[in-house]
Amino acid sequence: MDIMKGEVICIIGPSGSGKSTLIRCINALNDVQQGTITLEGYDVHDPKLDKLELRRKVGMVFQQYNLFPHKTALENVMMAPLKVLKEPKAEVEVRARALIKKVRLEGKENAYPGELSGGQQQRVAIARSLAMNPNVMLFDEVTAALDPETVKEVLLTIKELATDGMTCILVTHEMGFAREVADHIYFTDKGVIVEHGAPDTFFDNASDPRTKKFLGQIL
Ligand SMILES: Nc1ncnc2c1ncn2[C@@H]1O[C@H](COP(=O)(O)OP(=O)(O)OP(=O)(O)O)[C@@H](O)[C@H]1O
Ligand SMILES: [Mg+2]
């Protein structure tokens, strides 16, 4: 798998086929038994590599937003740069406010997660991840737990990020979104990538029977 700067990659495939495992390997949340992953010249699984450096380069957003419930949206976004990167508070706050605006949550800075919808919380989680200034963003089924109305607003946020040139790797079941936004689609089955291609080719002319079967079930 080769991913170029600024590309949007979607990974689709049946449950248990290794989609999460694949993207979790990219920021070393999972170890690899074989092979290598290189990120801007770094061997991700080199034990000598500083994991903090890697975590700064790679942001990750999960299905569960895992915001701190007793912290406001703004405080959630500010926390990692303050605690992990030890950046000055005033600077971090300016950046955090800009990010909250970017995910279209202006006015919700002082809201607690419990006062926000699922889609709003997920956008705070995206802003929180962006606060570390990552070069790559990983999204693992970030809209899977949301109501249909709020799915759209989260996808819009991701689409805007992609348009800004952020390298995005997404595991998603949103086929319309994948077709519209992805530069390249990967299909996994039973732990292997069985097929990949540009969206139009992939959705209209899949060649592997496993891909065809999967697309036949969901489209
Ligand atoms: N290539 C692989 N090598 C080793 N283990 C794998 C591989 N692919 C998947 N697994 C194992 O299979 C299980 C399911 O994988 P994973 O959670 O990545 O699937 P998934 O595609 O994200 O499924 P879901 O859609 O349900 O989230 C895990 O226990 C994982 O460790
Ligand atoms: Mg998964």
Side-chain angles (χ1 to χ4, degrees):
M1 199 177 189
D2 284 312
I3 300 171
M4 302 299 150
K5 197 173 175 63
E7 273 188 344
V8 179
I9 301 298
C10 286
I11 303 168
I12 65 173
S15 181
S17 62
K19 304 181 297 294
S20 298
T21 307
L22 177 58
I23 66 166
R24 288 169 61 89
C25 286
I26 297 174
N27 68 348
L29 284 177
N30 279 26
D31 287 329
V32 298
Q33 282 88 48
Q34 277 183 60
T36 52
I37 297 173
T38 311
L39 186 85
E40 296 177 347
Y42 285 93
D43 176 353
V44 169
H45 295 273
D46 182 344
K48 296 190 289 293
L49 173 77
D50 180 2
K51 290 285 185 289
L52 178 62
E53 189 61 29
L54 179 70
R55 299 275 145 74
R56 285 178 67 162
K57 284 174 181 288
V58 186
M60 184 154 186
V61 184
F62 303 87
Q63 185 173 324
Q64 301 305 331
Y65 349 107
N66 298 319
L67 298 174
F68 290 99
H70 55 288
K71 301 260 184 207
T72 64
L74 185 67
E75 287 165 348
N76 267 283
V77 176
M78 290 176 65
M79 193 173 310
L82 286 182
K83 306 275 180 214
V84 182
L85 306 182
K86 315 254 183 254
E87 290 183 53
K89 193 171 176 195
E91 252 171 55
V92 172
E93 184 170 338
V94 170
R95 195 160 87 228
R97 286 185 184 280
L99 284 169
I100 286 180
K101 197 170 164 190
K102 189 184 172 87
V103 299
R104 299 169 182 254
L105 286 175
E106 211 175 359
K108 298 289 185 191
E109 290 82 356
N110 298 322
Y112 288 89
E115 299 166 335
L116 299 171
S117 74
Q120 289 172 332
Q121 290 186 61
Q122 190 58 292
R123 283 181 284 151
V124 173
I126 293 172
R128 176 181 59 179
S129 197
L130 291 172
M132 297 289 276
N133 283 328
N135 303 2
V136 182
M137 285 287 286
L138 309 175
F139 297 91
D140 193 353
E141 293 194 42
V142 295
T143 60
L146 300 177
D147 296 331
E149 316 88 77
T150 54
V151 166
K152 269 197 218 143
E153 57 196 27
V154 173
L155 293 180
L156 178 65
T157 296
I158 298 173
K159 195 172 145 186
E160 285 174 347
L161 263 183
T163 309
D164 288 351
M166 175 65 78
T167 310
C168 295
I169 306 174
L170 299 103
V171 173
T172 184
H173 292 302
E174 297 290 334
M175 298 301 146
F177 176 81
R179 187 170 189 139
E180 185 191 342
V181 176
D183 294 299
H184 215 78
I185 313 255
Y186 283 80
F187 178 76
T188 55
D189 190 50
K190 299 193 174 73
V192 289
I193 295 167
V194 297
E195 181 159 11
H196 64 98
D200 286 347
T201 321
F202 180 84
F203 285 109
D204 300 331
N205 281 310
S207 53
D208 192 282
R210 290 164 290 187
T211 316
K212 281 187 188 159
K213 183 166 174 253
F214 179 79
L215 292 176
Q217 281 162 352
I218 52 141
L219 289 178

